[in-house]
Amino acid sequence: ISSMHSLASVLELFSPSSKVGSHNRNLFDSAGRVAWGCICESRKVVELAASVYVKKKNQFKEQFEIEESNDKMLKMELSSGEEGIVDETSDANGDENDKKAPNDGRSKLAAEERNNERKWKEVQLAYASILKAAFSNDSNYLLLKRDLISKIRLEYELWCPLCEAFAPNPFADFNDEVAKLPGDVSAFPHPVGNHHMQVCLESRRKMQMQTLGFVPKFDSIASVISKSKKWGKKPIETSIFNDFSNAIDKVFNDEYAVSENVYRRRENVRSNIESMVASSGAFPVGTRVLVFGSSANGFGSPNSDLDLCLQVNGSSSFSNESGVEAMASLATKFTEAGMHDVNTDRLTARIPIVKFNFPYVEYGETIMVECDLSLQNPLACLNTSLLHAYSKIFPSTCVLASVIKRWAKNRDINEPSRHTLSSYGYVLMLLYFLTASESTEDGFVLTPENTKNTAPILPNLQWVDPTWAQNPAGPYREIPAKPKNQYCVVQHPTEPNYLVNSYFYRSGLESLTQFCSHPSRKIPSYGMILASFFHYFAFEFNYKKNVVSLNTKHCYPILEKEIKAEEDGWSLFRQGLAIEDPFESFYDVSHVLKNTNFQTIRKEFALAYTKIMNSLTSKNATGKDLIDMICEPLVRDGEN
């Protein structure tokens, strides 16, 4: 599999020097024979893997049937009272092991079956990457004949990245299970015509309906509109994006915009708690209470919990043990002061936390403000400052994030405790997308792998050149390296051997705010950006190789997993999403995500984009209808 991925990389990156020229056919012929030979060998590997996969799958099926038959016989014996003869000399442990054996055997079978499926999926992924690289790189026409590339393209039409599988070969013998799997192209037509492509597409659509429940739209918005104009088809109703954008703005203002009254309430609660801390005597003089998280970074809502952090005076000596004792003492003071539901269960966590409800009286009515008070959490405050700066220079990020959060919550993919992604993770994905993408003259989005190295939609505050940011005129510039002076590099609060580079541009944000909103930039609409965001993370982002990271420059917004494996010990075997924290670069924000849940999230990205694209051909669809369709609450099997 590793060699197959290497071949895919070679085919993807092949680009002959201009000095060689296309006239040197002998050189290209030799290289072409080698390339074609490698592709054929890959097919043999896939064909063999398919044979092994089918053989094992049938064996597992037979073994499960035997296990099920044995269980039925055992139940019949027990129900009829025929318990058999028990050896009275056998010990209790032996009896217990006999009872466990069938279940253990079935569990082992299930594990082996999952392993068989996983290996087959990995083979298909590697083979699909070879096929895609072979026909998508125009330079490969110097290596391979056009009829060979056409057949490769035909085979790739059966591949679905969301299903991570090839659809059954429609040209193979219906009764030959192995022949319907990828690798064996002996039944493929020659020469290949457009009608053959349609046959493969139909086979893929059937698989997608069976596996996903819908047929995803793969083409980008710009591509769909361009094809529509080129072939004179029915015009696409792009006006829906204006209505969609207005609906997005209304959702934000109605549900997520935080009023001055709420900000004032939060500040009063913070001030009261700071006074309680000072009067408790449990902490050094000068200890402050700071607000962090969604209540302060601009990406929250009026109903966000109030995340608070105790910042102890830097000159004070305060150990972890004394900190936990002080937090426990403070929790007692909170109870005495009338705080509700004081919870100290997380005092022994890496960062001690006390949870409680603050009874805040407003206009004669008592409002319970949910509070989480943590000790010495400077990196959380640093993250809050970074996100707040982004929300200030480009308020559209908050508007877009509000719809993404609503979508993720309603689709049940926004709960880390159930191994899905946190709201913070989705915000980082959005910021990465905006800092790595560019806008076009006609209002479309150039996604990270297709940019032209002009200014990004959103400047990256960890890399933007301060001299350019103060007067953003001329070409966009970034610094060659982050400063590493005593003001930027700080000790990690809980990792003694780790230093954190806390640098990001935070002064003079007014100039960047004007730059981001300047009419001459022709920033795409909310609807266009959101649709492009969904498409990018459904189909374009390379989850196998790359990491979502704000620590990448706009000129090359790619951080490979291999680098993270070398530097921070990240696993290379995780096929799914990886998100690097902006400051704790060793920390994967998406580490809680299980592979099955990652596939669910990616499917939801594709489903949301497909719904948007389907609305383009509907005359009656409104922006509100589209938001309701995208954010439709998920109803699982068995639920009403």
Side-chain angles (χ1 to χ4, degrees):
I1 292 177
S2 176
S3 298
M4 291 172 72
H5 282 298
S6 297
L7 173 59
S9 297
V10 170
L11 293 172
E12 180 183 3
L13 300 174
F14 172 67
S15 179
S17 170
S18 57
K19 295 180 181 179
V20 176
S22 59
H23 62 276
N24 195 340
R25 301 304 307 174
N26 291 332
L27 177 60
F28 289 127
D29 285 345
S30 299
R33 283 193 292 272
V34 173
W36 180 242
C38 291
I39 292 174
C40 291
E41 287 301 314
S42 296
R43 280 180 172 157
K44 291 179 182 178
V45 170
V46 176
E47 194 174 355
L48 177 61
S51 178
V52 172
Y53 163 73
V54 170
K55 182 179 179 181
K56 286 187 175 182
K57 187 176 77 168
N58 292 334
Q59 287 176 347
F60 292 138
K61 184 179 178 181
E62 291 176 1
Q63 288 175 308
F64 274 119
E65 288 175 353
I66 293 172
E67 290 284 340
E68 187 176 353
S69 176
N70 290 339
D71 286 350
K72 287 181 179 179
M73 290 178 63
L74 181 60
K75 288 179 181 179
M76 290 175 63
E77 291 176 359
L78 291 173
S79 62
S80 61
E82 296 176 7
E83 299 180 3
I85 300 173
V86 179
D87 185 353
E88 296 181 357
T89 61
S90 62
D91 57 51
N93 290 335
D95 291 341
E96 186 176 345
N97 290 336
D98 288 343
K99 292 178 183 177
K100 288 184 177 180
N103 290 332
D104 290 346
R106 183 170 293 183
S107 299
K108 185 178 179 181
L109 274 178
E112 290 176 353
E113 185 181 40
R114 288 194 299 270
N115 190 44
N116 186 43
E117 294 290 342
R118 178 185 60 80
K119 288 182 177 180
W120 174 232
K121 185 173 289 187
E122 288 177 356
V123 171
Q124 291 183 89
L125 282 166
Y127 186 51
S129 65
I130 291 173
L131 298 179
K132 182 179 180 180
F135 77 81
S136 60
N137 183 354
D138 291 339
S139 296
N140 287 333
Y141 282 91
L142 298 172
L143 297 176
L144 305 171
K145 294 180 180 180
R146 290 188 177 274
D147 62 329
L148 297 179
I149 292 181
S150 296
K151 188 169 286 190
I152 289 172
R153 178 64 186 266
L154 181 66
E155 191 173 8
Y156 186 76
E157 290 296 336
L158 295 169
W159 168 252
C160 175
L162 296 177
C163 301
E164 292 190 330
F166 283 86
N169 182 351
F171 309 108
D173 182 357
F174 181 78
N175 296 317
D176 191 340
E177 187 175 1
V178 175
K180 290 188 292 182
L181 297 177
D184 184 358
V185 294
S186 59
F188 270 46
H190 183 81
V192 173
N194 289 333
H195 61 289
H196 297 128
M197 293 286 184
Q198 291 303 317
V199 171
C200 288
L201 284 174
E202 185 58 32
S203 178
R204 189 180 73 193
R205 290 190 188 104
K206 288 180 180 178
M207 177 186 71
Q208 289 166 339
M209 284 301 299
Q210 292 173 354
T211 306
L212 305 174
F214 69 100
V215 177
K217 300 284 188 182
F218 288 102
D219 290 340
S220 67
I221 301 170
S223 174
V224 170
I225 294 176
S226 175
K227 289 178 181 178
S228 175
K229 292 178 179 178
K230 181 178 179 181
W231 300 108
K233 295 181 178 180
K234 181 182 177 181
I236 300 295
E237 296 290 338
T238 53
S239 59
I240 184 65
F241 281 107
N242 297 327
D243 199 24
F244 187 28
S245 299
N246 292 334
I248 290 172
D249 196 43
K250 189 176 189 310
V251 166
F252 174 73
N253 289 320
D254 290 350
E255 301 179 23
Y256 292 89
V258 181
S259 66
E260 288 299 324
N261 187 50
V262 173
Y263 279 124
R264 185 166 52 252
R265 179 196 308 157
R266 290 171 177 172
E267 172 54 27
N268 288 338
V269 172
R270 184 208 66 79
S271 178
N272 273 281
I273 293 173
E274 190 171 77
S275 298
M276 286 188 229
V277 171
S279 63
S280 70
F283 293 89
V285 175
T287 297
R288 298 180 60 203
V289 174
L290 305 177
V291 181
F292 70 94
S294 59
S295 292
N297 62 23
F299 291 89
S301 72
N303 300 319
S304 295
D305 295 349
L306 191 59
D307 294 314
L308 302 164
C309 171
L310 285 169
Q311 187 180 62
V312 181
N313 192 326
S315 60
S316 303
S317 176
F318 209 66
S319 66
N320 289 339
E321 292 78 9
S322 58
V324 172
E325 291 176 5
M327 290 286 281
S329 174
L330 182 61
T332 303
K333 296 288 184 183
F334 282 162
T335 302
E336 294 172 354
M339 300 298 106
H340 292 223
D341 303 321
V342 179
N343 187 325
T344 59
D345 290 346
R346 297 184 62 186
L347 275 184
T348 56
R350 182 172 66 107
I351 295 178
I353 296 175
V354 174
K355 301 171 75 71
F356 58 94
N357 291 333
F358 188 104
Y360 183 78
V361 179
E362 185 174 272
Y363 303 120
E365 181 183 354
T366 300
I367 300 172
M368 287 297 173
V369 180
E370 294 184 32
C371 301
D372 290 356
L373 180 64
S374 58
L375 175 65
Q376 296 286 63
N377 201 356
L379 293 183
C381 296
L382 185 63
N383 264 317
T384 299
S385 298
L386 176 65
L387 267 59
H388 184 258
Y390 278 121
S391 72
K392 283 296 183 184
I393 66 171
F394 195 49
S396 296
T397 55
C398 303
V399 180
L400 292 163
S402 66
V403 177
I404 292 171
K405 284 183 176 181
R406 187 185 191 192
W407 159 78
K409 182 178 180 181
N410 285 357
R411 302 305 295 173
D412 200 21
I413 50 173
N414 185 209
E415 187 53 66
S417 63
R418 296 208 304 271
H419 303 286
T420 55
L421 195 59
S422 65
S423 295
Y424 177 53
Y426 286 110
V427 170
L428 289 182
M429 292 176 77
L430 175 63
L431 291 175
Y432 167 77
F433 178 74
L434 294 173
T435 56
S437 300
E438 298 172 2
S439 57
T440 65
E441 288 291 323
D442 47 1
F444 292 111
V445 177
L446 288 177
T447 50
E449 284 76 8
N450 303 304
T451 54
K452 299 179 180 178
N453 286 330
T454 59
I457 294 175
L458 176 65
N460 189 322
L461 294 177
Q462 291 177 280
W463 287 105
V464 65
D465 188 326
T467 57
W468 180 88
Q470 292 166 9
N471 183 24
Y476 175 74
R477 296 197 307 273
E478 294 179 323
I479 54 178
K482 294 180 185 178
K484 296 182 179 180
N485 55 48
Q486 59 188 12
Y487 304 105
C488 297
V489 179
V490 296
Q491 179 66 49
H492 192 283
T494 59
E495 300 290 334
N497 299 321
Y498 192 83
L499 298 176
V500 175
N501 192 323
S502 63
Y503 173 79
F504 69 92
Y505 180 76
R506 63 186 87 185
S507 60
L509 295 177
E510 296 81 8
S511 297
L512 282 181
T513 303
Q514 294 174 6
F515 169 76
C516 288
S517 60
H518 200 279
S520 64
R521 298 198 61 219
K522 297 182 179 178
I523 297 297
S525 65
Y526 292 146
M528 187 65 70
I529 292 177
L530 188 63
S532 301
F533 170 81
F534 284 137
H535 182 271
Y536 179 71
F537 285 109
F539 306 116
E540 296 182 60
F541 186 76
N542 191 333
Y543 291 98
K544 179 174 178 58
K545 291 184 178 180
N546 299 335
V547 175
V548 173
S549 173
L550 287 173
N551 286 310
T552 55
K553 294 185 178 183
H554 176 65
C555 60
Y556 188 72
I558 294 174
L559 175 62
E560 295 183 354
K561 286 185 176 180
E562 285 190 6
I563 294 176
K564 296 303 297 178
E566 293 174 3
E567 293 181 351
D568 297 308
W570 288 22
S571 174
L572 275 175
F573 298 100
R574 283 190 65 205
Q575 302 290 329
L577 176 65
I579 305 175
E580 183 185 58
D581 187 86
F583 299 109
E584 292 180 283
S585 58
F586 65 86
Y587 181 68
D588 182 1
V589 175
S590 62
H591 73 281
V592 300
L593 203 60
K594 289 187 176 181
N595 187 60
T596 52
N597 292 335
F598 157 68
Q599 292 298 336
T600 300
I601 290 175
R602 190 177 182 187
K603 170 189 168 183
E604 289 294 340
F605 276 124
L607 179 59
Y609 178 75
T610 299
K611 288 179 177 179
I612 293 173
M613 294 307 294
N614 287 339
S615 72
L616 295 182
T617 57
S618 173
K619 292 183 178 180
N620 300 322
T622 66
K624 183 181 182 304
D625 293 337
L626 190 48
I627 287 184
D628 290 341
M629 283 192 292
I630 292 171
C631 301
E632 179 185 6
L634 179 68
V635 178
R636 299 190 181 278
D637 294 340
E639 296 181 358
N640 294 325

